[in-house]
Amino acid sequence: MSRMDIQTRLTEFGIAVTSQRLEVAGILLDKPQHLAADQILAMLRKKGSRVSKATVYNTLHLFAEKGLVRALHVDPSRTFYDSTIHPHHHFYHVDIGELSDIPDEQIRIMNLPPLPPGTELENVDVLIKIRDRKI
Amino acid sequence: MSRMDIQTRLTEFGIAVTSQRLEVAGILLDKPQHLAADQILAMLRKKGSRVSKATVYNTLHLFAEKGLVRALHVDPSRTFYDSTIHPHHHFYHVDIGELSDIPDEQIRIMNLPPLPPGTELENVDVLIKIRDRKI
DNA sequence: AGATCCTTTAGATTGAGTCCAATTGCCCAG
DNA sequence: CTGGGCAATTGGACTCAATCTAAAGGATCT
């Protein structure tokens, strides 16, 4: 995705454009992937960027809140950010701690239960945990 | 659940019985609930127990591994352990950070995708995120 | 230029969870 | 009973993702 495309994208999601936000988005939105904040920070540093840790965290929170990316809480030790936002679900390979996408169309959920009164749906996550087949 | 019942339960799940494990199980298996390690530790301490932090963590890991309880990674900041193990799913109220059970029978998932080669299913988690209805 | 507001920053701090080396407890053989 | 062996427990140090804070920077408007 070009720098210009990313700018447009940020604006579409109601996010004010700054050079730091462009840098973070440039890394994460590059392709469909799942990255943690510290991985993004490391990648930025490797490229010579001077963005601070606090800004990376602030930026990712903002992106997630505005719906530009999706936060995933699968690995208990850290939050991953998913650059793919059209609805889909995940495989989590517990032996190697790896996350992969499942196209949404394949899964259909029947009989969604009634929500508790006074609440509305935010979203539905399906996480299919898999492991290496034993013998 | 009586002390004796808990002993039987541990043994059924292939867990060697110790006094510390009985104490932890006594708290968590008392009723259907979701507790974090530090909550369990605090409850034990309040009862006058001297179980160490390391033991609480070791014990919960062991319980989860043996299938006596289920670990849930929903709140990014800590792991909750669910005393209910028959299959079921969860509501997560994002505004107040509260977790509640959904009886399994209500939800049916169609068209489970094929698993990646060499892997087998561990389990399927459905997490329905809800929030306070806005006006 | 000054004022206001938002963003970024370095560095300190938090806190769940892990690690480690030492101790305790348990069980069985002799 | 005794002691060897092994598993379980322990306190305390440690890790590290994430948060907090207070100050500095940057843009925009009048």
Side-chain angles (χ1 to χ4, degrees):
Chain A
M1 197 178 308
S2 82
R3 186 177 178 85
M4 200 46 217
D5 288 339
I6 295 178
Q7 277 199 24
T8 311
R9 200 78 177 284
L10 294 186
T11 308
E12 281 170 2
F13 281 86
I15 299 165
V17 175
T18 69
S19 70
Q20 291 88 343
R21 290 172 185 175
L22 283 175
E23 290 192 86
V24 172
I27 296 280
L28 184 53
L29 302 185
D30 181 47
K31 56 184 176 189
Q33 59 187 334
H34 312 97
L35 294 177
D38 58 317
Q39 292 178 308
I40 293 175
L41 182 60
M43 291 165 82
L44 287 168
R45 288 283 156 77
K46 202 151 127 192
K47 284 184 23 184
S49 167
R50 304 167 153 286
V51 184
S52 75
K53 184 170 69 156
T55 298
V56 173
Y57 279 92
N58 290 342
T59 301
L60 290 170
H61 283 154
L62 180 67
F63 286 2
E65 188 189 314
K66 296 293 190 177
L68 175 62
V69 303
R70 209 165 124 202
L72 297 177
H73 304 294
V74 173
D75 181 323
S77 73
R78 44 197 206 162
T79 297
F80 281 89
Y81 291 89
D82 190 340
S83 58
T84 305
I85 49 173
H86 68 70
H88 68 287
H89 300 298
H90 296 95
F91 283 126
Y92 183 59
H93 195 303
V94 296
D95 292 326
I96 56 180
E98 212 171 78
L99 202 55
S100 57
D101 290 338
I102 304 171
D104 179 51
E105 305 84 58
Q106 295 187 23
I107 294 188
R108 186 120 293 116
I109 299 178
M110 312 299 289
N111 301 329
L112 257 204
L115 304 189
T119 66
E120 62 183 7
L121 187 64
E122 166 134 336
N123 90 328
V124 178
D125 282 332
V126 177
L127 182 66
I128 302 182
K129 290 194 185 138
I130 56 179
R131 56 173 179 247
D132 285 325
R133 181 151 42 218
K134 287 154 189 158
I135 299 107
Chain B
M1 195 179 307
S2 82
R3 188 178 177 84
M4 200 46 216
D5 287 339
I6 295 178
Q7 277 200 22
T8 311
R9 201 77 177 284
L10 294 187
T11 309
E12 280 171 2
F13 281 85
I15 298 165
V17 175
T18 70
S19 68
Q20 291 86 345
R21 290 172 186 176
L22 284 174
E23 291 192 87
V24 172
I27 296 281
L28 184 53
L29 303 185
D30 181 47
K31 57 184 176 189
Q33 59 187 332
H34 311 98
L35 293 176
D38 57 315
Q39 293 178 308
I40 293 175
L41 183 60
M43 292 165 82
L44 287 168
R45 287 284 157 75
K46 201 151 128 193
K47 284 184 25 183
S49 166
R50 305 165 154 285
V51 184
S52 74
K53 183 170 71 153
T55 297
V56 172
Y57 279 93
N58 290 343
T59 300
L60 289 170
H61 284 154
L62 180 66
F63 285 3
E65 188 190 314
K66 296 294 190 175
L68 175 63
V69 303
R70 212 166 122 201
L72 298 177
H73 305 294
V74 173
D75 181 324
S77 73
R78 46 198 202 160
T79 298
F80 281 91
Y81 291 89
D82 189 339
S83 58
T84 306
I85 48 173
H86 69 71
H88 69 287
H89 300 299
H90 296 95
F91 282 126
Y92 182 59
H93 195 304
V94 297
D95 292 326
I96 56 179
E98 211 171 78
L99 201 56
S100 57
D101 290 337
I102 304 171
D104 179 51
E105 306 82 58
Q106 295 186 23
I107 295 188
R108 189 114 293 119
I109 300 177
M110 311 301 289
N111 301 329
L112 257 203
L115 305 189
T119 65
E120 62 183 6
L121 187 63
E122 166 134 335
N123 89 329
V124 178
D125 282 332
V126 177
L127 182 66
I128 302 182
K129 290 192 184 140
I130 57 180
R131 57 173 179 245
D132 285 325
R133 181 153 42 217
K134 286 153 190 158
I135 297 106

